[in-house]
Amino acid sequence: MAAMNDKVRGYILNNSDFRETDAMIKVLTEDHGLLTFVAKGAKKTTSKNAMSLLPYCVSDLFFDYREGKDMFTLKRAELVKSYYSEDLSRLAALALISSIAINGYDSHYRTDLYGDVAQAFALCESEDVIGVIALFMAKMARYLGVGANVDGCVICGNKKVVSFSSHDGGFLCLEHLGKNNTLEPSTLYKIRLLNKIDWPHFRELGKLEFGLEDLMIMADFFYDHSDFDRRPYTFFLKMNRL
Ligand SMILES: [Zn+2]
């Protein structure tokens, strides 16, 4: 049977060394989910494909698709758009989003992950990356079925909340505050929005000006309730504290 020449468009989430001159590429595609490609000779300076295989690019990849397999030999790649940035904070944000997407895929979470990555990458170009990451984490937590309870106090349902507890899984009222610190109403409002809205409303969130403190509340919750690799997040914080 003649070899098929299949084409798939996807987001390059990871590019790692593989054998001497080869690279292993993880690509999130709309139709086939997360695929792994071995790009032969991609590390050679003469490689025609190298530019299209850099992390955080959208590229068209040519290969022979085989049902039931998720690892393929890449024939050729064409760059569609690069999100790569000289800005270290932005680059760390893209790395963090990519890592969460790969972990999410491995956790058998499939619901429109492609759409979430597409939205997050695009927003990272023009919006505050801290807010983008916070919403990405909040959405992933919801998909994983561990979303925060932000309708009222998690213990009694009281709508008058004064704090957020990762351990308890959501808001707390004054009576159930325990050893937690109270939070500013503006912080509580941001946490509530993060856990309610979706990408089309992101710009409303942008007006609220997200700080690292806000992200840290959301991230602690997210990592406490999942087994995702925390290192890309730690690296992002480091890049933003410089
Ligand atoms: Zn309560």
Side-chain angles (χ1 to χ4, degrees), residues 152-158 160 171-177:
C153 171
V154 280
I155 294 162
C156 70
N158 188 344
K160 237 184 134 188
F171 284 151
L172 293 174
C173 71
L174 192 57
E175 191 190 332
H176 295 112
L177 182 62

Side-chain angles (χ1 to χ4, degrees), residues 79-90:
L79 180 69
V80 176
K81 176 175 173 59
S82 174
Y83 286 97
Y84 195 87
S85 167
E86 299 280 312
D87 181 320
L88 284 182
S89 162
R90 202 152 297 213

Side-chain angles (χ1 to χ4, degrees), residues 28-183:
L28 185 65
T29 69
E30 192 160 24
D31 296 333
H32 304 296
L34 188 70
L35 300 179
T36 302
F37 289 95
V38 173
K40 297 219 158 91
K43 276 156 58 194
K44 287 185 195 159
T45 48
T46 52
S47 167
K48 290 188 197 83
N49 291 327
M51 285 303 285
S52 327
L53 299 175
L54 289 174
Y56 328 128
C57 284
V58 179
S59 292
D60 284 336
L61 306 163
F62 297 83
F63 67 112
D64 294 331
Y65 185 75
R66 279 189 194 87
E67 195 71 43
K69 292 189 86 181
D70 59 4
M71 192 162 162
F72 304 94
T73 301
L74 181 75
K75 289 183 169 172
R76 148 175 97 79
E78 280 171 15
L79 180 69
V80 176
K81 176 175 173 59
S82 174
Y83 286 97
Y84 195 87
S85 167
E86 299 280 312
D87 181 320
L88 284 182
S89 162
R90 202 152 297 213
L91 211 51
L94 293 168
L96 174 54
I97 290 162
S98 298
S99 143
I100 294 172
I102 291 172
N103 280 174
Y105 196 84
D106 290 342
S107 306
H108 306 286
Y109 154 62
R110 300 285 189 276
T111 318
D112 199 29
L113 192 51
Y114 184 88
D116 288 311
V117 168
Q119 294 275 7
F121 272 32
L123 285 168
C124 273
E125 280 200 309
S126 58
E127 302 288 328
D128 179 12
V129 293
I130 294 176
V132 176
I133 292 168
L135 181 56
F136 197 79
M137 285 178 174
K139 277 206 79 180
M140 291 302 122
R142 271 183 267 168
Y143 290 144
L144 292 167
V146 294
N149 186 336
V150 291
D151 290 323
C153 171
V154 280
I155 294 162
C156 70
N158 188 344
K159 299 279 178 208
K160 237 184 134 188
V161 296
V162 295
S163 187
F164 180 86
S165 158
S166 170
H167 179 262
D168 294 305
F171 284 151
L172 293 174
C173 71
L174 192 57
E175 191 190 332
H176 295 112
L177 182 62
K179 285 178 180 155
N180 298 284
N181 295 321
T182 56
L183 295 169

Side-chain angles (χ1 to χ4, degrees), residues 194-206:
L194 278 177
N195 287 282
K196 290 284 182 192
I197 67 161
D198 206 338
W199 298 113
H201 306 107
F202 181 82
R203 273 165 232 282
E204 295 168 28
L205 207 60

